[in-house]
Amino acid sequence: APDGARPEKASGGAPPSPGGAAGATRDLVRARAAHAARFDDAATRASAAEPLVPARLKRAVQRRHPRYEGDEQHDAHEFLCDALDAVAEETAARESEEAANAPAARDASAAERTSPGGVVPLHRTLCPTRRAFTGASAVTLTCESCGDASTTTESFRHLSLELPCQTEKDSFSAAPLELRALVARCFAPETVERRCERAGCGGTHAVMARRLLRAPRVLLVHLKRFRAEDASSVPFSRETPGTYGDGNPKSGCSASAFAPPRLTKDSRPVELPETVTLAPFADAAVRGPPTSSRAGVAVSAAADPELPADEAAAATRAYADDDSAEGEAARSQLASYRLAGTVSHLGASTRRGHYVASARVASGGGDENETAAKRWMSFDDERATFAGSPAAAASTLSDWYVAAFECEAAQ
């Protein structure tokens, strides 16, 4: 949205939140809720015609990342990640500041909960983006020569899924790729180069396997539709010399000075189901999304002597006060994530195109004639209209780029 466009307003005459991405997001969510309430009431629907413009959020993110200045097109998934980072970092700073300035009666417990150098455990943080999107997995590397294994934990906030290389046979097939298969590939074991650290082994390859340890409340799925190739119009299905999107040369390749690299879009249709599951990839001790019962709760030093050092530990460490589901109970929660929203890219490359979005919205006190089909809305710049689920639209399959799935059992 242009910087000079009309910004969103806080609902109910409330004063704007403090500056930054977190405050801008909070006000935008409040404004969206107030806007929806007016739209759902036939008596006030006419007053809800003015669109909301997230100009404050864009300015907050571009202060951190000047490349977003102006009105040139940028990658929507990249902007989303930068915005989520900004909200998380600002909220963490605010939590630490509040702990340092807490009244004397609460100084000890607050400082223990947010001490410098540590990360607030996931089930206690007030950060909405961490609570919604953070997941974690165990990554095990097993040497192919001696069988020695080592396991580390990694946090994630989205799954970026590779599309398989297209073969000549595939070019004649109109069948969409299965999202279930793409997710399974993300967790499937794969052989990687790794020198074994065990004395006397000398192995150079290991099998890497992932298992889900903490499930996110909202699963963000990102399709890697854009691929780097040189300007010689070689089909995207081939491995070609060039550079990656960040400008770094591909390993073992040299980019031609006369053929600058570009990102082209893989427009093969990809299935967009109403539900997906993470249950097959869960560890036996998997934990479900955090509940809201412990958010912001301080604990004693005896109960929590040391805060985790990183996000992965904050999401996976066992705490007595973490009442999120565990084991089989968590696995049952992960059996169904329901589609909640999509972002689609219309166009052939990152330099040309247009982004549109769809979201599943709650139906309020609307007209008597409103039906269940109106639970979805489509957003195209300032135009917002009721629509059917994007999962039912064949045109969506070749263009959807990011999708959000909610774990309804954990609501």
Side-chain angles (χ1 to χ4, degrees), residues 72-78 221-227 263-270 272 341-358 378-380 390 394-403:
E72 292 184 4
Q73 180 167 291
H74 293 276
D75 187 283
H77 174 254
E78 184 178 357
V221 174
H222 162 236
L223 298 182
K224 294 185 177 180
R225 285 197 180 274
F226 298 104
R227 299 190 178 186
L263 294 178
T264 56
K265 182 179 174 182
D266 185 338
S267 294
R268 281 178 291 170
V270 179
L272 182 61
T342 63
V343 175
S344 296
H345 176 271
L346 311 179
S349 71
T350 54
R351 295 186 179 182
R352 292 185 179 183
H354 180 59
Y355 285 106
V356 296
S358 296
S378 174
F379 301 90
D380 184 353
S395 58
T396 304
L397 304 188
S398 296
D399 295 318
W400 77 269
Y401 184 45
V402 177

Side-chain angles (χ1 to χ4, degrees), residues 7-276:
E8 68 281 356
K9 299 177 182 179
S11 63
S17 299
T25 302
R26 184 184 302 111
D27 285 347
L28 183 59
V29 171
R30 290 172 176 170
R32 173 69 183 91
H35 188 277
R38 294 199 309 272
F39 190 87
D40 283 338
D41 188 341
T44 58
R45 181 166 297 174
S47 68
E50 183 178 347
L52 301 176
V53 181
R56 278 185 60 212
L57 177 59
K58 178 178 180 292
R59 287 196 294 269
V61 176
Q62 73 188 28
R63 280 196 292 270
R64 292 168 167 259
H65 306 282
R67 64 180 177 276
Y68 294 122
E69 292 179 355
D71 56 3
E72 292 184 4
Q73 180 167 291
H74 293 276
D75 187 283
H77 174 254
E78 184 178 357
F79 181 86
L80 173 62
C81 290
D82 288 335
L84 294 180
D85 277 346
V87 173
E89 291 170 10
E90 290 172 11
T91 305
R94 182 68 179 269
E95 286 180 323
S96 295
E97 181 182 355
E98 290 180 350
N101 296 328
R106 295 183 298 165
D107 273 351
S109 61
E112 289 156 7
R113 182 166 58 88
T114 54
S115 61
V119 179
V120 177
L122 184 63
H123 66 289
R124 294 189 204 133
T125 184
L126 293 173
C127 178
T129 58
R130 284 185 62 202
R131 295 182 65 83
F133 303 111
T134 299
S137 58
V139 181
T140 300
L141 290 166
T142 304
C143 177
E144 288 190 332
S145 298
C146 70
D148 185 58
S150 61
T151 300
T152 57
T153 57
E154 295 180 352
S155 63
F156 65 88
R157 63 180 171 217
H158 61 264
L159 297 182
S160 284
L161 306 181
E162 296 272 4
L163 302 189
C165 290
Q166 187 176 16
T167 64
E168 184 175 352
K169 179 180 179 181
D170 294 333
S171 63
F172 294 99
S173 174
L177 299 172
E178 290 188 354
L179 181 60
R180 178 182 58 181
L182 297 181
V183 174
R185 287 185 60 190
C186 184
F187 287 91
E190 61 177 313
T191 300
V192 298
E193 290 188 8
R194 177 182 180 268
R195 184 170 294 280
C196 184
E197 298 178 355
R198 188 174 183 178
C201 176
T204 58
H205 290 80
V207 175
M208 182 172 67
R210 298 177 184 273
R211 300 295 291 173
L212 191 65
L213 291 179
R214 169 74 82 166
R217 179 177 297 276
V218 179
L219 174 65
L220 286 179
V221 174
H222 162 236
L223 298 182
K224 294 185 177 180
R225 285 197 180 274
F226 298 104
R227 299 190 178 186
E229 63 176 36
D230 54 27
S232 58
S233 298
V234 180
F236 59 75
S237 59
R238 291 178 52 190
E239 293 294 331
T240 59
T243 65
Y244 292 112
D246 58 5
N248 295 319
K250 290 183 179 180
S251 177
C253 300
S254 59
S256 169
F258 303 99
R262 63 181 180 183
L263 294 178
T264 56
K265 182 179 174 182
D266 185 338
S267 294
R268 281 178 291 170
V270 179
E271 173 193 37
L272 182 61
E274 287 286 356
T275 61
V276 296

